[in-house]
Amino acid sequence: MSQQLWNAVDDYFNGLLVEEDAPLRGAAEESEAAGLPPHQVAPNQGKLLHLLARIQGARSILEIGTLGGYSTIWLARALPEGGRLVTLEADPHHAEVAAANIARAEVGHLVDLRVGKAVDTLPVLADEGVGPFDLVFIDADKPSNPEYLRWALRLTRPGSVIIGDNVVREGAVTDPASADPRVQGVRSFTELIAEHPRLTATTLQTVGAKGYDGFTLALVTE
């Protein structure tokens, strides 16, 4: 198996099943032009987020890690009128690019983009009484994943869905002695989920245009 083959398979299915229109393509292109890291989800992954939100019937979504707004657009398009997506971005430059991309996609009326470290803005959401959220997408700095999970549990309800991205780390997650804080953050995140009485979850490995990684899908049960 090779990256070339994974790319070809993604291209085949994306060409048939994923409607990546001009605002989505533009969001990826503008993010690259602005020097943002290429960490946004792939088109088929964005469509998966969109479908999960629709299956969930989500009216309120929390995204931790906006980057250039690519996944934000996919998620916002799953919301009904009157729905709300709160997205948190630590980097002001990333947030500026995301705001422009979100506006061009004409979903700005559904999106509340907040700038600042999520560990600081999440308590503000709780103090404001925002939520509970029907779906939480965690795709930010991995060392903070355990803290993000704790806040996600405070801001959700029974039946809510929590998704954690980039959890396989090309297989490095299996190494308990890893010196990579991102790996240790994912391991702690996963162990917290496994031990938590309010969560049931699974993790899937993925290959494709974004390489070898995976995501965790958790359901808040009580």
Side-chain angles (χ1 to χ4, degrees):
M1 295 295 179
S2 67
Q3 185 65 55
Q4 183 178 7
L5 178 59
W6 298 343
N7 290 348
V9 172
D10 268 4
D11 288 345
Y12 170 73
F13 285 110
N14 287 347
L16 291 171
L17 303 175
V18 179
E19 305 85 14
E20 191 188 34
D21 59 10
L24 284 165
R25 291 192 300 272
E29 291 165 0
E30 291 298 325
S31 296
E32 181 180 6
L36 273 61
H39 294 164
Q40 74 271 4
V41 299
N44 53 349
Q45 295 167 343
K47 182 68 176 287
L48 176 63
L49 291 172
H50 175 88
L51 290 174
L52 288 171
R54 290 182 62 182
I55 291 166
Q56 169 70 348
R59 297 187 60 85
S60 182
I61 297 173
L62 172 62
E63 178 182 50
I64 303 175
T66 315
L67 194 61
Y70 183 84
S71 56
T72 315
I73 295 168
W74 274 113
L75 287 166
R77 287 178 170 181
L79 288 169
E81 280 302 318
R84 184 186 192 191
L85 189 158
V86 178
T87 184
L88 310 179
E89 176 53 49
D91 188 300
H93 175 55
H94 295 179
E96 182 180 0
V97 174
N101 288 333
I102 290 164
R104 274 193 296 271
E106 299 183 351
V107 292
H109 62 294
L110 298 169
V111 177
D112 178 3
L113 171 58
R114 303 201 180 195
V115 184
K117 292 183 178 180
V119 292
D120 298 325
T121 51
L122 285 164
V124 174
L125 293 180
D127 289 343
E128 291 177 359
V130 178
F133 293 98
D134 302 313
L135 185 147
V136 178
F137 179 46
I138 301 173
D139 190 17
D141 59 306
K142 303 311 177 231
S144 298
N145 265 17
E147 188 67 12
Y148 297 153
L149 178 64
R150 294 184 186 99
W151 279 107
L153 284 163
R154 288 188 59 178
L155 293 166
T156 51
R157 56 167 177 78
S160 294
V161 170
I162 300 171
I163 304 166
D165 200 17
N166 306 126
V167 298
V168 172
R169 316 302 307 172
E170 296 186 330
V173 70
T174 62
D175 180 8
S178 174
D180 187 335
R182 296 168 298 180
V183 171
Q184 293 301 334
V186 168
R187 286 178 62 88
S188 296
F189 169 78
T190 307
E191 289 159 11
L192 283 170
I193 291 174
E195 296 166 359
H196 204 286
R198 293 181 59 210
L199 292 173
T200 182
T202 191
T203 295
L204 296 179
Q205 301 178 76
T206 60
V207 296
K210 303 297 289 187
Y212 172 38
D213 215 317
F215 65 94
T216 294
L217 180 67
L219 176 69
V220 182
T221 59
E222 59 180 76

